[in-house]
Amino acid sequence: MKKVYFKTFGCRTNLFDTQVMGENLKDFSVTLEEQEADIIIINSCTVTNGADSAVRSYAKKMAQLNKEVLFTGCGVKTQGKELFEKGLLKGVFGHDNKEKINALLQEKKRFFIDDNLENKHLDTTMVSEFVGKTRAFIKIQEGCDFDCNYCIIPSVRGRARSFEERKILEQVGLLCSKGVQEVVLTGTNVGSYGKDKGSNIARLIKKLSQITGLKRIRIGSLEPNQINDEFLELLEEDFLEKHLHIALQHSHDFMLERMNRRNRTKSDRELLEVIASKNFAIGTDFIVGHPGESESVFEEAFKNLESLPLTHIHPFIYSKRKDTPSSLMTDSVSLEDSKKRLNAIKDLISHKNKAFRQLQLKLNTPLKALVETQKDGEFKALDQFFNPIKIKSDKPLRASFLEIRDYEIKERENHAVF
């Protein structure tokens, strides 16, 4: 039986897609050792030029090792054809063919099957287990209806559509019966869930919370205008993690307009302050170096960031993506300036995160931590605020849900002995 190795680039949605493919392999075995594999399946990401470059390099490396390489994911539309024509790939297939992977691997001839985004495909596969077992990523929707000027993803994932609620509940129930205790709801634009089905993400979360064995629900990234009163009511519930990732992308109205974003700084601040008042940690994405971000604009944006109740951040340097409106803008920012801004933002939020953790200790807040990995008597866990905690213990803590009251604040994480 031929061995298959999955190489997954990019986001949590891709991780779930890889699980879907693995579930559909009937005549092949999956290996976690790259060198043992006869076949390499690349599940690609194309969100930035850096992502494209990493995928290309890996495809070339595997081809040089004479591996049989298949290519799928978001990069099919942006570089699948080029890699295929260079002879680096045995086959290329789009998102809507993932579930046919067993048959595709048996093809004798080379093939290129593009995505049909008009198809609005949604997978039907049930994932029976998830690597890691205690925490699982669950895809609840696909695609995005936003038209942000810098973003290529809607053109490679299609428009927003939601999975059936019944299927999601069944999927989570199945995983919880196998030992999963926490789920992370993921998708291209998670907060748009239910828009096409007369429902919303708050109602889905309430139903998920009733599943036996499920102790915590995390949510991927939400847009500010997707958080309504019905969702805010959930902030009082124990089953929801005490951390929300709200995609602001910038903290200056001029830049939000340039990016064709739907949020604005005043309403963002009001929303974040309401959430922070419930003792929530808050994360965001932030793009530096987008065309139009002059020094004075960045300085004002940075001041706004200083006053926002943020504890986590995913900042990245603007990446010019072909055929997007932002790629046609000429008032670009140098890479040197972009890197300085990126590091300034990282340092700022790192200090805010430490201050937040110190406040929790002062308030005597117990950390509710799900232990995920172990190495040399040291366990790694994530608490309810999405902060890492290292735990020293000689007890078998793997997959345990712990309540920790005695812990020490370090620069990047908390430490405890249990």
Side-chain angles (χ1 to χ4, degrees), residues 201-324:
I201 193 167
R203 284 171 224 170
L204 173 66
I205 290 169
K206 282 177 196 168
K207 290 185 180 175
L208 285 170
S209 72
Q210 295 165 20
I211 292 173
T212 303
L214 184 61
K215 294 185 177 171
R216 189 156 68 198
I217 300 168
R218 292 190 187 275
I219 309 155
S221 181
L222 295 168
E223 292 287 335
N225 67 344
Q226 292 168 339
I227 299 175
N228 58 16
D229 289 344
E230 193 173 356
F231 185 90
L232 290 173
E233 286 173 13
L234 293 177
L235 303 188
E236 308 292 342
E237 302 289 351
D238 279 343
F239 53 73
L240 190 67
E241 64 154 339
K242 302 301 176 194
H243 164 270
L244 290 176
H245 187 95
I246 301 165
L248 304 182
Q249 306 300 359
H250 214 278
S251 54
H252 195 295
D253 281 350
F254 173 71
M255 293 309 303
L256 292 170
E257 285 170 24
R258 286 305 295 279
M259 294 173 175
N260 198 33
R261 295 282 300 158
R262 301 183 187 185
N263 57 306
R264 292 295 180 266
T265 52
K266 184 175 182 290
S267 53
D268 287 347
R269 178 183 306 285
E270 289 166 357
L271 174 66
L272 265 55
E273 284 174 353
V274 167
I275 295 167
S277 73
K278 305 289 185 182
N279 201 28
F280 265 64
I282 305 171
T284 195
D285 299 315
F286 198 100
I287 301 171
V288 297
H290 184 281
E293 191 187 63
S294 65
E295 192 62 42
S296 60
V297 165
F298 178 73
E299 283 173 12
E300 194 175 329
F302 191 81
K303 280 180 190 166
N304 287 338
L305 266 185
E306 283 179 316
S307 62
L308 287 175
L310 290 167
T311 57
H312 298 72
I313 199 153
H314 178 213
F316 48 101
I317 294 170
Y318 166 72
S319 184
K320 190 174 182 177
R321 310 305 286 137
K322 190 182 172 190
D323 299 327
T324 59

Side-chain angles (χ1 to χ4, degrees), residues 18 29 57 87 135 155 161 168 183-184 195 199 213 216 229 234 250 285 296 302 332-333 374 388 402:
T18 293
S29 64
S57 299
R135 181 160 61 116
S155 66
R161 62 259 187 213
I168 297 167
V183 295
V184 184
K195 204 172 104 176
S199 186
R216 189 156 68 198
D229 289 344
L234 293 177
H250 214 278
D285 299 315
S296 60
F302 191 81
S332 56
V333 180
Q374 175 191 5
L402 307 177

Side-chain angles (χ1 to χ4, degrees), residues 372-385:
E372 295 185 21
T373 57
Q374 175 191 5
K375 191 177 179 182
D376 304 328
E378 194 170 73
F379 297 86
K380 286 189 177 178
L382 276 174
D383 66 21
Q384 70 270 40
F385 302 113

